[in-house]
Amino acid sequence: VDRFLARLPLTMTVLLDARGRTAGKYGAFVLPQTYLIDPEGRIKREYQGPRDWNDSAIVSEIEGYVQTTKEP
């Protein structure tokens, strides 16, 4: 996983749940499973299965969440 992530210009945190403990708590049984989590730790959006993260609708949706969580 580290070698894969090293090739990507990511600015977000990527977590690996090697033992599946967190996945069970969130009910994540589909891979991949992606969550947008706000600064208070609340799930704002859940995506199950693969996505085209360059799709304009998804980009707009994520940008909207980021704008609402930015500090003034």
Side-chain angles (χ1 to χ4, degrees):
V1 172
D2 290 333
R3 285 185 286 153
F4 171 75
L5 292 174
R7 293 182 286 160
L8 302 174
L10 298 177
T11 59
M12 63 183 180
T13 302
V14 176
L15 304 174
L16 177 62
D17 183 20
R19 294 191 175 129
R21 292 178 182 161
T22 303
K25 290 180 181 179
Y26 281 100
F29 301 106
V30 177
L31 295 175
Q33 187 88 14
T34 304
Y35 296 96
L36 293 180
I37 301 173
D38 72 11
E40 287 78 37
R42 295 180 301 238
I43 295 174
K44 302 305 283 183
R45 180 70 160 90
E46 174 183 344
Y47 300 92
Q48 294 184 347
R51 293 285 185 270
D52 175 2
W53 297 108
N54 293 313
D55 178 85
S56 61
I58 292 176
V59 171
S60 293
E61 180 179 25
I62 293 171
E63 286 175 344
Y65 284 119
V66 170
Q67 291 300 320
T68 61
T69 60
K70 283 188 176 179
E71 294 182 26

